[in-house]
Amino acid sequence: MSHPSPADGPTPVPPSWDPPSWAPPAAGAVPAGAVAPGAWTPWGTWDPTAGRTPVTLPAPAPAAPASGGRPVLTALATAAVLALGMVLAATVGALVLTGAADDVGQAIGEGMTSSVTEDLGWYADPYPTGGVLGSVEQFDPVAPGGLGSDPVLDGYAQSCFDGNLQACDDLYLESPPLSAYEEYATTCGGRVKQYEVPYCTDLD
C-alpha cells in the first residue's frame, strides 16, 4: 500500500469534535444517596461494591483539652528545685572547705612556731611575760647628736635624753625605719643595749 500522492486528490481532514448531545442532569434529578455523574468524591469515601454510594466517615476525635500550661509550670518548678539544690551544695562545700583550710592553717602555724622556737631559742619570743627579761644592765644616757634634721624628732630625742622615757618610745614610733633616730630610741637614749627592752617605760 502506498501513501496517497497529491495527484490523488486533497488529504481528508478528520472530523472536528462536537460536544455531547446529552445535557447534564438538572438539580434534584440525582436520586438520594447516589453520586451525580462527573462529581468528585475523595478516595475511600465510597464503597465500590455498593455502586458509587458515599460511605459515611467517622467523626474526627475531639482534640484533647489544653492542659492549662501545666508542662511549663512543671518544668519551671523542676528548674527551681535543681537550682536550689546546686546553691545548697555549693554553700555546704564552701563551709567544709573553709573549715578544712582553717584547720590546715592552724596546724601549719603551730608547726612553724614550734620550728622557729627550736631554732632560735628565746629569740622567738624575747618578752614572754610582756616585760623585761630578768635584770637589764643600764648605762648613763647619751646626748643625741647628728641624728637628723627633723625638729620634731629632735625634740623627742632631747626629751628622751632628759629622762622622759615615754618620749623614747614616741621617738621609736615616729622615726623612719633604720634611721639614726630609731637606733637612738631602741637604746632608750643610750641607757640600754639595742632592743634590750620592749618599751623604754619598762625601765621606770
Side-chain angles (χ1 to χ4, degrees), residues 117-182:
T117 302
E118 292 175 359
D119 293 342
L120 301 180
W122 65 273
Y123 290 105
D125 188 7
Y127 311 112
T129 60
V132 179
L133 288 175
S135 60
V136 177
E137 183 179 6
Q138 297 190 36
F139 309 97
D140 293 332
V142 177
L147 300 179
S149 59
D150 190 316
V152 175
L153 297 182
D154 287 339
Y156 283 136
Q158 186 60 46
S159 297
C160 176
F161 171 75
D162 293 339
N164 183 356
L165 299 180
Q166 181 61 51
C168 300
D169 293 336
D170 293 339
L171 176 62
Y172 178 77
L173 294 175
E174 299 293 333
S175 60
L178 304 178
S179 64
Y181 290 113
E182 184 185 64

Side-chain angles (χ1 to χ4, degrees), residues 26-152:
V30 179
V35 178
W40 178 86
T41 56
W43 173 260
T45 60
W46 55 276
D47 186 0
T49 61
R52 291 181 59 84
T53 303
V55 177
T56 304
L57 295 177
S67 59
R70 289 184 182 176
V72 176
L73 294 178
T74 303
L76 291 176
T78 303
V81 170
L82 290 176
L84 180 60
M86 293 176 65
V87 170
L88 291 176
T91 303
V92 172
L95 292 176
V96 171
L97 291 177
T98 301
D102 290 343
D103 295 341
V104 171
Q106 183 176 1
I108 292 175
E110 292 175 355
M112 291 178 63
T113 302
S114 175
S115 176
V116 170
T117 302
E118 292 175 359
D119 293 342
L120 301 180
W122 65 273
Y123 290 105
D125 188 7
Y127 311 112
T129 60
V132 179
L133 288 175
S135 60
V136 177
E137 183 179 6
Q138 297 190 36
F139 309 97
D140 293 332
V142 177
L147 300 179
S149 59
D150 190 316
V152 175

